[in-house]
Amino acid sequence: MKRIVSLAIVLAVMLSSVLSASAASAEELRFSEEYKSSPYYTKLMQALEDHKDGTTMEKVFAVAISQEGYKNFATEGYDIDQARRDGKLWTGAELRMNDNLTGNTEYTRWAQRYVMDRDESEQYADYDWCTIFTSWCLYQAGYYDEETLKRYFYCYVVDPRIFWSADQWIESFNLDQKKVYYAPNTHHKLDAMPWNTYYNVDVSPFDMPYKPGGLVFFGWHGTGAYFSHVAIVIDYDPETCVLTYINGNSGGKVITQQIDLDVEESYREKPYTLNANRIMAYADYDQYVAPEQKEIVIDTPVIKWDKGAESGLKLQTNSESIVAYVYEGDTYLGSILESNMVLHEGLLQIGKSELVKLPVGLHKIKLQFDDGEVVKPFKITDADNVPMKAIGDVDMDGDVTIIDVTVTQRYLAGMKELTPEQLLYADVNDDGEVEILDATILQRYDVGMIDVLG
């Protein structure tokens, strides 16, 4: 008995130690020890305290200003090996140590370790860190809750497949389109993403409602061809047309800069153009508020899709979310970036690339939104390989007989498993479910009381 008690005490102590270590590691993921010993951490904490009763935009503004002067290690002139020996590098991997790209910043470390759950030894994503810095400021100011931060940041900001796309740059910050203002030279980019409603288009960069803490999006070439930078507004003088902003990844550091929108020049070694042409969009924003959970409604009782279709499928929902996760059972279907996205006014589009991976048959599909989820029967057919005569042929022997009734009844009693294809054949009333009614219909068909199945 004493041994059992002693073992229980040891296990309890071990569990307590594990929990303490987990809590400590969670804090370490938010801030590195090196950063916590720097003046920027002290300034950050003071900024949050001084503006604890301010608006979200005021807090973001204060957070960004607190980081002014922070440098990427690439610009410090460190030898990589010496920097590692001095504890200046937070990972053992060889990183790209150049001024304009990821380098070694507290912000990229936070993105990799805290947001993306990547190991210290992994190379960080091949991505500029202006967006990462902005997301970090929004997070420190309380704009995101934990789940929303990881969902939007990981899905939109980091993945290189969405580089240069207007919608993903805007949605990476979970912005309300009603508060986003697009310059005329971005119009062609918006047309390429038809699922969103754009409320403020063709707005002159001189007339955008810039406010401290707001987000301004640039395209440095001035052609409107793509979004290439994001910064946080400090001030705008409509008389002189000078926009002041603070940004990360400018010469490898966090810095305050100005641009005169009314001047034509070669800016940042880009071609000569009016600087106003370099403004792509501006956005105000509010504190993220978790949506009220609702019962999601889909416009069809059974979701049906044929493998011979030219594309995926679209479903109308009453969700007000931006993003939906699509599952078959517990298996997540494909990339949210490619297709699983709530479109304009609750219209969900699921791409063919996700659906073709599923076998022909009857499935359950779960659509998970921020404001609720729904599970629906999902029937996949193949016009070339699933002839109507197969309906009811549950044992797949080529004929519909009393044996098919027996197989169906054994399935309903939990005595037999059916493949997705067999479930498709067993759903003889085409309601997306295999139930006792299907077995009854099969019996009636077998004795000649009805002539048609399906």
Side-chain angles (χ1 to χ4, degrees), residues 44 75 101 154 268 372 437:
L44 170 65
T75 65
L101 298 170
Y154 183 78
R268 293 192 175 184
L437 180 59

Side-chain angles (χ1 to χ4, degrees), residues 178-244:
K178 293 179 181 178
K179 297 181 180 180
V180 182
Y181 301 82
Y182 293 98
N185 64 353
T186 62
H187 202 276
H188 64 287
K189 297 295 292 183
L190 306 184
D191 289 346
M193 299 289 181
W195 53 70
N196 271 323
T197 297
Y198 306 102
Y199 298 87
N200 307 291
V201 298
D202 296 331
V203 180
S204 168
F206 296 100
D207 299 327
M208 290 184 176
Y210 305 107
K211 299 183 185 71
L215 305 185
V216 59
F217 298 84
F218 295 92
W220 288 128
H221 283 277
T223 62
Y226 50 77
F227 283 51
S228 58
H229 189 65
V230 62
I232 297 169
V233 173
I234 291 180
D235 183 52
Y236 177 65
D237 186 339
E239 297 296 325
T240 62
C241 302
V242 172
L243 177 67
T244 306

Side-chain angles (χ1 to χ4, degrees), residues 135-366:
S135 288
W136 183 88
C137 291
L138 288 164
Y139 169 70
Q140 300 301 336
Y143 175 73
Y144 298 109
D145 64 11
E146 304 295 317
E147 181 180 352
T148 307
L149 165 71
K150 295 190 177 187
R151 175 177 294 187
Y152 285 89
F153 184 96
Y154 183 78
C155 291
Y156 294 114
V157 178
V158 178
D159 196 303
R161 287 176 295 174
I162 55 82
F163 208 43
W164 312 131
S165 171
D167 287 277
Q168 274 75 19
W169 273 79
I170 297 302
E171 289 174 357
S172 66
F173 304 109
N174 195 23
L175 297 172
D176 183 350
Q177 288 285 7
K178 293 179 181 178
K179 297 181 180 180
V180 182
Y181 301 82
Y182 293 98
N185 64 353
T186 62
H187 202 276
H188 64 287
K189 297 295 292 183
L190 306 184
D191 289 346
M193 299 289 181
W195 53 70
N196 271 323
T197 297
Y198 306 102
Y199 298 87
N200 307 291
V201 298
D202 296 331
V203 180
S204 168
F206 296 100
D207 299 327
M208 290 184 176
Y210 305 107
K211 299 183 185 71
L215 305 185
V216 59
F217 298 84
F218 295 92
W220 288 128
H221 283 277
T223 62
Y226 50 77
F227 283 51
S228 58
H229 189 65
V230 62
I232 297 169
V233 173
I234 291 180
D235 183 52
Y236 177 65
D237 186 339
E239 297 296 325
T240 62
C241 302
V242 172
L243 177 67
T244 306
Y245 57 91
I246 185 168
N247 52 171
N249 195 35
S250 180
K253 56 189 174 183
V254 178
I255 187 174
T256 296
Q257 294 177 289
Q258 291 185 325
I259 184 171
D260 188 337
L261 304 186
D262 202 25
V263 171
E264 184 173 311
E265 61 182 327
S266 177
Y267 194 74
R268 293 192 175 184
E269 300 180 353
K270 303 303 180 186
Y272 274 87
T273 184
L274 190 68
N275 281 332
N277 294 334
R278 306 186 196 280
I279 303 294
M280 301 285 280
Y282 168 76
D284 287 340
Y285 51 91
D286 294 314
Q287 175 89 28
Y288 171 78
V289 178
E292 182 179 348
Q293 294 296 294
K294 64 170 65 174
E295 181 181 354
I296 302 297
V297 176
I298 302 292
D299 62 354
T300 178
V302 182
I303 301 172
K304 300 177 183 178
W305 182 73
D306 190 273
K307 287 199 173 212
E310 291 295 322
S311 61
L313 58 87
K314 294 182 180 181
L315 302 168
Q316 187 68 45
T317 81
N318 68 330
S319 171
E320 297 175 358
S321 301
I322 296 175
V323 176
Y325 291 96
V326 183
Y327 296 86
E328 193 271 325
D330 294 327
T331 303
Y332 174 57
L333 296 184
S335 167
I336 195 169
L337 288 167
E338 293 174 354
S339 59
N340 297 336
M341 183 181 297
V342 174
L343 309 182
H344 174 46
E345 296 181 348
L347 186 64
L348 172 68
Q349 178 172 284
I350 305 175
K352 183 174 182 177
S353 61
E354 281 75 37
L355 304 181
V356 293
K357 302 172 186 176
L358 299 176
V360 166
L362 198 60
H363 302 262
K364 290 280 190 179
I365 190 167
K366 179 173 73 174

